[in-house]
Amino acid sequence: MIDVINLRKAYGSTEVLKGITTTIRQGEKIAIIGPSGSGKSTFLRCLNRMEEPTSGSILFEGRDITDRKADIDEHRRQMGMVFQHFNLFNNKTVLENIMLAPVYLGLRDLRRLKRRNRLVRLRNLFHGEKLPLHPIETSKARIREEARENALRLLKRIGLEDKANAYPSTLSGGQKQRIAIVRALAMNPKVMLFDEPTSALDPEMVGEVLDLIRQLADEGMTMVIVTHEMGFAREVATRVLFMDGGNILEDDTPERIFTNPRHPRTREFLSKVL
Amino acid sequence: MGNFDKKLERFWEVFIEHGGYVKVLTGLQNTVWIAVAGLAIGILIGTLIAVVRVMPKTNRLTKSLEGLCVFYVGLFRGTPIVVQLLVAYYVALPLMGINIPALQVCVIVFGLNSAAYVSEIMRSGILSVDPGQMEAGRALGLNYRVTMMKIVIPQAVKNIVPTLGNEFISLIKETSVVSFVGAADLYVAFNYIGSNNYEFMVPYLVMALIYIVLVAVAALIVRQLERSLRKSDRRH
């Protein structure tokens, strides 16, 4: 599904990623662990080009997304991202946060379709043989209504439907992060990227967020998680990448990484955090 | 204070009986109009400049646009507004062969001048918004422009309302120089009343009071606006 080939990223003269090559298959749940500054967040952020790779390529379903001509916004719609600091839109209510992107894209697609139909009609005026119009089965109101229903369904799923009209500033960290997750889900992404989703949370709220991520994993969502929650990585991940100094030092099943790490650096790191 | 009573009486005479109040009302209207329309133009152009200046500089077009904006801000912040008015009215517009009324020239010049200041205010406002907001929008597949318009700028505006209010108050006061190009503002009105009988004490005193009231009202409006914008900070 995602092929990363010799990915490098440098800020000035400091190289943060020193040639990452790996493949992420459909349905895999990959946990990336490693000390801070090892490049794990940078690697994750390169996957949807929140960071611009210096060299190398990333193929998503066969298409190279590092290509300058690639439609990066289209790519990002298929890849949900959850941030350490939630990043809910502060000027929007919870419901608006979830609806914003789907409604915007729905309306944009509708506009494009209508524009194309106008061109077809114009062309039909001058040609004997008529081209059919593109069928339009939706309307502005319907797009909004559907996005709203979907948003409410997602909120219900996480038990926060009563917060639909609240602003983010009134919510707890755990609530914010769960809403950030369903906001990403509202776009029906094929992959979810989690960038230390529980690192900014109070300890008592970590559980509720991990539970939601675990549910998604059980439903078969492909996901890449940068995390410091070793227990969670071990339980949920199908594969664990250990990164240090801009390289993947070890890439194995959670059992083997956590019980019998081969690389001395992995052993050293795990002995400190476990 | 018998002398002052007499001056007051004379002022009143001109103000009411010689139609002085009509001039004052026109002047007041023009003053407010130049300040309000100037600020509106300033916010519009200023926001555009601010966005250009915070945009990631990836190609030659964005770089040269930035250069243009820096030049613009330098130009309008580097010269006094009186000079700008005089140059616009007596140099630039005649050279271009354009003939428009002084009041409109004032609105435009005050707008362009205010744009330079608003752009800096807006730029700091945009920079004060957590970069995570832009990232979240982009990560959802919204493009730079849409994220800017729907997420970042509304939050930036909320942060800078008090500073924009300051700019508005400065504008109100700066309009007192528009008589340099012959626009009829409060100064012109009270000067007319004063020169009617060479008594300037009361007219200028009243003029000062009107400016104070005007600024107080502006400050009140800004505070109300600020309060209503703060709603998203706490509401359940």
Side-chain angles (χ1 to χ4, degrees):
Chain A
M1 191 173 207
I2 307 171
D3 291 295
V4 182
I5 302 155
N6 202 19
L7 181 70
R8 285 170 190 276
K9 169 73 185 176
Y11 296 102
S13 58
T14 34
E15 215 171 19
V16 190
L17 298 178
K18 298 174 181 164
I20 305 273
T21 300
T22 189
T23 296
I24 298 164
R25 281 170 290 271
Q26 175 123 35
E28 273 192 309
K29 295 105 188 53
I30 294 179
I32 305 177
I33 60 171
S36 41
S38 58
K40 40 191 201 314
S41 278
T42 308
F43 170 56
L44 189 81
R45 290 163 57 82
C46 279
L47 292 179
N48 64 353
R49 257 178 64 190
M50 296 305 287
E51 300 288 346
E52 210 62 57
T54 312
S55 70
S57 51
I58 299 167
L59 302 179
F60 180 68
E61 299 186 321
R63 271 169 298 132
D64 189 352
I65 62 148
T66 53
D67 187 354
R68 300 197 87 197
K69 274 175 261 157
D71 183 350
I72 191 61
D73 292 330
E74 190 54 49
H75 167 67
R76 285 175 179 154
R77 276 162 218 149
Q78 307 184 27
M79 236 181 210
M81 186 165 205
V82 175
F83 301 88
Q84 182 178 357
H85 295 286
F86 334 126
N87 296 348
L88 291 183
F89 303 134
N90 295 324
N91 57 330
K92 304 275 178 197
T93 64
V94 167
L95 197 62
E96 288 165 346
N97 259 279
I98 305 174
M99 286 170 61
L100 181 75
V103 167
Y104 171 75
L105 294 173
L107 293 182
R108 195 206 56 181
D109 290 345
L110 183 66
R111 267 202 310 276
R112 284 189 180 166
L113 216 56
K114 281 182 176 166
R115 198 180 307 142
R116 236 174 278 156
N117 273 350
R118 275 202 293 278
L119 285 178
V120 171
R121 272 196 214 101
L122 193 70
R123 181 203 166 275
N124 283 353
L125 276 180
F126 301 104
H127 286 70
E129 148 212 20
K130 306 293 181 204
L131 283 181
L133 293 178
H134 300 281
I136 293 180
E137 286 140 1
T138 184
S139 65
K140 284 183 190 174
R142 204 139 135 225
I143 289 169
R144 286 211 182 84
E145 195 40 48
E146 278 169 7
R148 195 187 151 76
E149 274 167 24
N150 192 35
L152 286 172
R153 183 181 59 77
L154 287 164
L155 279 178
K156 197 163 189 165
R157 167 182 184 163
I158 55 173
L160 291 177
E161 64 267 45
D162 57 322
K163 298 286 186 194
N165 295 313
Y167 281 91
S169 56
T170 63
L171 304 172
S172 75
Q175 291 171 331
K176 282 186 202 172
Q177 193 61 302
R178 285 184 290 147
I179 289 162
I181 293 173
V182 297
R183 177 177 70 176
L185 288 180
M187 301 292 291
N188 293 318
K190 293 177 180 164
V191 185
M192 286 285 283
L193 309 177
F194 294 90
D195 190 1
E196 303 195 24
T198 57
S199 297
L201 293 174
D202 289 343
E204 68 206 278
M205 292 167 184
V206 170
E208 60 191 70
V209 172
L210 291 185
D211 281 342
L212 178 58
I213 300 176
R214 193 179 290 119
Q215 278 175 34
L216 294 180
D218 291 343
E219 288 163 15
M221 175 66 82
T222 310
M223 49 176 75
V224 185
I225 313 170
V226 171
T227 185
H228 291 293
E229 298 284 333
M230 295 304 153
F232 181 74
R234 184 171 188 169
E235 173 204 349
V236 170
T238 55
R239 221 170 100 204
V240 176
L241 307 181
F242 174 74
M243 282 185 72
D244 189 29
N247 290 303
I248 297 180
L249 293 189
E250 205 158 344
D251 173 355
D252 217 329
T253 62
E255 286 75 26
R256 265 186 286 188
I257 288 230
F258 286 108
T259 54
N260 190 19
R262 280 167 302 154
H263 204 284
R265 227 5 230 119
T266 320
R267 231 171 281 155
E268 189 194 333
F269 173 74
L270 287 175
S271 71
K272 278 185 196 151
V273 298
L274 286 181
Chain B
M1 287 300 281
N3 198 13
F4 189 77
D5 287 345
K6 211 172 196 174
K7 287 177 193 290
L8 202 63
E9 216 168 85
R10 280 179 157 184
F11 168 74
W12 203 245
E13 193 186 299
V14 183
F15 188 69
I16 300 295
E17 281 157 31
H18 295 212
Y21 69 95
V22 181
K23 295 227 171 221
V24 169
L25 283 180
T26 315
L28 189 64
Q29 194 189 348
N30 287 348
T31 293
V32 172
W33 169 241
I34 294 170
V36 170
L39 187 70
I41 296 174
I43 289 176
L44 213 71
I45 301 177
T47 307
L48 281 177
I49 296 175
V51 169
V52 167
R53 296 204 57 188
V54 298
M55 216 158 42
K57 306 293 175 301
T58 45
N59 55 34
R60 208 172 288 163
L61 177 71
T62 48
K63 275 183 197 140
S64 41
L65 269 178
E66 153 123 71
L68 205 66
C69 290
V70 171
F71 174 73
Y72 177 94
V73 172
L75 189 71
F76 277 92
R77 287 206 306 188
T79 49
I81 185 105
V82 185
V83 174
Q84 290 163 20
L85 274 175
L86 292 174
V87 169
Y89 193 71
Y90 293 110
V91 183
L93 291 173
L95 279 180
M96 287 189 279
I98 301 170
N99 189 14
I100 46 177
L103 183 67
Q104 282 168 38
V105 174
C106 291
V107 168
I108 293 168
V109 169
F110 272 83
L112 294 178
N113 176 276
S114 164
Y117 290 92
V118 172
S119 78
E120 286 298 295
I121 297 172
M122 188 65 83
R123 192 165 72 99
S124 74
I126 291 173
L127 293 177
S128 75
V129 174
D130 174 12
Q133 299 283 311
M134 172 58 83
E135 280 195 348
R138 298 307 310 273
L140 283 168
L142 302 173
N143 62 33
Y144 184 83
R145 188 179 57 84
V146 172
T147 314
M148 207 65 186
M149 299 271 290
K150 290 188 183 258
I151 306 299
V152 178
I153 289 182
Q155 292 182 48
V157 168
K158 196 171 79 174
N159 291 344
I160 61 171
V161 163
T163 331
L164 272 184
N166 253 342
E167 171 65 14
F168 183 46
I169 287 169
S170 305
L171 269 182
I172 291 177
K173 293 184 294 186
E174 280 173 3
T175 55
S176 57
V177 300
V178 297
S179 55
F180 272 73
V181 295
D185 71 334
L186 282 174
Y187 165 73
V188 172
F190 284 104
N191 196 46
Y192 162 82
I193 293 175
S195 27
N196 220 294
N197 47 19
Y198 303 104
E199 278 296 354
F200 287 99
M201 186 191 267
V202 181
Y204 285 167
L205 184 66
V206 175
M207 177 168 81
L209 288 177
I210 291 184
Y211 271 113
I212 289 175
V213 170
L214 214 53
V215 167
V217 170
L220 197 74
I221 294 172
V222 171
R223 203 172 318 141
Q224 284 302 322
L225 187 67
E226 206 182 319
R227 200 172 295 168
S228 69
L229 280 173
R230 288 256 166 254
K231 259 190 269 172
S232 66
D233 283 354
R234 36 194 99 260
R235 197 199 316 179
H236 291 267

